[in-house]
Amino acid sequence: MGLLSGLMGNASEVDGNTLDQLIGDALIDGESVQKAYKVIRDMFVFTNKRLILIDKQGVTGSKIEMLSIPYNKITKFSKESAGHFDLDAELKIWIGSEPLPLVKEFKAGDNINDVYRILSQFAL
């Protein structure tokens, strides 16, 4: 089910060792990772200072783009919780003056409330 969920665009939580190897050098003094999620090969990382979007590109995924979004650039965000028949939840984040939100799907078992709480803590 994990592979199927990943192919459908659902997010799963990332472990600390994977993050250290990938973004350890990108973090500044006093910055720490709060939560990180992976969608197929891409990730979004919530630190205490910013949101880092990681886009792995190419066939091998060796080319990586990191996009840093300070929390003060997040204008609004929403969550749609999983229902009885729809087991997935959805997170939407609007950045700056962009009209369309960044949308991420969470599979059953991933706690979207933790991410929503992190956004509330740092973006408000």
Side-chain angles (χ1 to χ4, degrees), residues 42-84:
D42 301 339
M43 288 194 277
F44 57 108
V45 180
F46 295 95
T47 76
N48 59 331
K49 307 234 180 237
R50 60 187 162 159
L51 170 60
I52 302 172
L53 301 176
I54 300 171
D55 180 16
K56 290 189 176 183
Q57 301 170 356
V59 176
T60 62
S62 58
K63 183 178 178 182
I64 297 173
E65 176 188 15
M66 286 188 179
L67 175 65
S68 292
I69 303 167
Y71 288 116
N72 65 357
K73 297 297 180 191
I74 296 174
T75 55
K76 58 185 173 179
F77 51 94
S78 70
K79 69 174 180 166
E80 181 180 314
S81 299
H84 293 291

